Coordinates of all heavy atoms in Angstrom, one line a residue:
P41 N 5.3 6.5 -12.4 CA 4.9 7.0 -11.1 C 3.8 8.0 -11.2 O 2.9 8.1 -10.4 CB 6.1 7.6 -10.4 CG 7.2 6.8 -11.1 CD 6.8 6.5 -12.5
L42 N 3.9 8.9 -12.2 CA 2.9 9.9 -12.4 C 1.5 9.3 -12.8 O 0.5 9.7 -12.3 CB 3.3 10.9 -13.5 CG 4.2 12.0 -13.0 CD1 4.6 12.9 -14.2 CD2 3.6 12.8 -11.9
F43 N 1.6 8.3 -13.6 CA 0.4 7.6 -14.0 C -0.3 6.9 -12.8 O -1.5 7.0 -12.6 CB 0.7 6.5 -15.1 CG -0.5 5.7 -15.5 CD1 -1.5 6.1 -16.3 CD2 -0.5 4.4 -15.0 CE1 -2.5 5.3 -16.6 CE2 -1.6 3.6 -15.3 CZ -2.6 4.0 -16.1
S44 N 0.6 6.3 -12.0 CA 0.1 5.6 -10.8 C -0.5 6.6 -9.8 O -1.6 6.3 -9.3 CB 1.2 4.8 -10.1 OG 1.7 3.8 -11.0
C45 N 0.2 7.7 -9.6 CA -0.3 8.7 -8.7 C -1.6 9.3 -9.2 O -2.6 9.6 -8.4 CB 0.7 9.8 -8.4 SG 2.1 9.2 -7.5
A46 N -1.7 9.6 -10.5 CA -3.0 10.1 -11.0 C -4.1 9.1 -10.8 O -5.2 9.5 -10.5 CB -2.8 10.4 -12.5
G47 N -3.8 7.8 -11.0 CA -4.9 6.8 -10.8 C -5.3 6.8 -9.3 O -6.5 6.7 -9.0
V48 N -4.4 6.9 -8.4 CA -4.7 6.9 -7.0 C -5.5 8.1 -6.6 O -6.5 8.0 -5.9 CB -3.4 6.8 -6.1 CG1 -3.7 7.1 -4.7 CG2 -2.8 5.4 -6.2
I49 N -5.1 9.3 -7.2 CA -5.9 10.5 -6.9 C -7.3 10.4 -7.5 O -8.3 10.8 -6.8 CB -5.1 11.7 -7.5 CG1 -3.9 12.0 -6.6 CG2 -6.0 12.9 -7.5 CD1 -3.0 13.0 -7.2
G50 N -7.4 9.8 -8.7 CA -8.7 9.6 -9.3 C -9.6 8.7 -8.5 O -10.8 9.1 -8.2
V51 N -9.1 7.6 -8.1 CA -9.9 6.6 -7.3 C -10.3 7.2 -5.9 O -11.4 7.1 -5.5 CB -9.2 5.3 -7.2 CG1 -9.9 4.4 -6.2 CG2 -9.1 4.6 -8.5
A52 N -9.3 7.8 -5.3 CA -9.6 8.4 -4.0 C -10.6 9.6 -4.1 O -11.4 9.8 -3.2 CB -8.3 8.9 -3.4
G53 N -10.5 10.3 -5.2 CA -11.5 11.4 -5.4 C -12.9 10.8 -5.6 O -13.8 11.4 -5.0
I54 N -13.0 9.7 -6.3 CA -14.3 9.1 -6.4 C -14.8 8.6 -5.0 O -16.0 8.8 -4.6 CB -14.3 7.9 -7.4 CG1 -14.0 8.5 -8.8 CG2 -15.5 7.1 -7.3 CD1 -13.7 7.4 -9.8
M55 N -13.9 8.0 -4.2 CA -14.2 7.6 -2.9 C -14.7 8.7 -2.0 O -15.7 8.6 -1.3 CB -13.0 6.9 -2.2 CG -12.7 5.5 -2.8 SD -11.2 4.8 -2.1 CE -11.5 4.9 -0.3
L56 N -14.0 9.9 -2.1 CA -14.3 11.0 -1.3 C -15.7 11.6 -1.8 O -16.5 11.9 -0.9 CB -13.2 12.1 -1.5 CG -13.4 13.3 -0.6 CD1 -13.3 13.0 0.8 CD2 -12.2 14.3 -0.9
A57 N -15.9 11.7 -3.1 CA -17.2 12.2 -3.6 C -18.3 11.3 -3.2 O -19.4 11.8 -2.9 CB -17.1 12.3 -5.1
R58 N -18.1 10.0 -3.1 CA -19.1 9.1 -2.7 C -19.6 9.3 -1.3 O -20.8 9.0 -1.0 CB -18.6 7.6 -2.9 CG -19.5 6.5 -2.7 CD -18.8 5.2 -2.9 NE -17.7 5.0 -2.0 CZ -17.7 4.1 -1.1 NH1 -18.6 3.2 -1.0 NH2 -16.6 4.0 -0.3
T59 N -18.7 9.8 -0.4 CA -19.1 10.0 1.0 C -20.2 11.1 1.1 O -20.8 11.2 2.2 CB -17.9 10.3 1.9 OG1 -17.3 11.5 1.5 CG2 -16.9 9.2 1.8
W60 N -20.3 12.0 0.1 CA -21.3 13.0 0.2 C -22.6 12.7 -0.5 O -23.5 13.5 -0.5 CB -20.7 14.3 -0.4 CG -20.0 15.1 0.6 CD1 -20.5 15.8 1.7 CD2 -18.5 15.2 0.8 NE1 -19.5 16.4 2.4 CE2 -18.3 16.0 1.9 CE3 -17.5 14.7 0.0 CZ2 -17.0 16.3 2.3 CZ3 -16.2 15.0 0.4 CH2 -16.0 15.8 1.6
M61 N -22.7 11.5 -1.1 CA -23.9 11.1 -1.8 C -24.9 10.6 -0.7 O -24.5 10.0 0.2 CB -23.6 9.9 -2.7 CG -22.8 10.4 -3.9 SD -22.5 9.0 -5.0 CE -21.6 9.7 -6.3
P62 N -26.2 11.0 -0.9 CA -27.2 10.7 0.1 C -27.3 9.2 0.4 O -27.4 8.8 1.6 CB -28.5 11.2 -0.5 CG -28.1 12.2 -1.5 CD -26.7 11.8 -2.0
A63 N -27.2 8.3 -0.6 CA -27.4 6.9 -0.3 C -26.2 6.4 0.6 O -26.4 5.5 1.4 CB -27.4 6.2 -1.6
F64 N -25.0 6.9 0.4 CA -23.9 6.5 1.2 C -24.0 7.0 2.6 O -23.7 6.4 3.6 CB -22.6 6.9 0.5 CG -21.4 6.4 1.2 CD1 -20.9 5.1 1.1 CD2 -20.7 7.2 2.1 CE1 -19.8 4.6 1.7 CE2 -19.6 6.8 2.8 CZ -19.1 5.5 2.6

Side-chain angles (χ1 to χ4, degrees):
L42 279 179
F43 174 77
S44 299
C45 290
V48 167
I49 290 171
V51 170
I54 292 169
M55 288 173 56
L56 186 61
R58 186 177 61 117
T59 63
W60 274 285
M61 293 181 180
F64 182 81

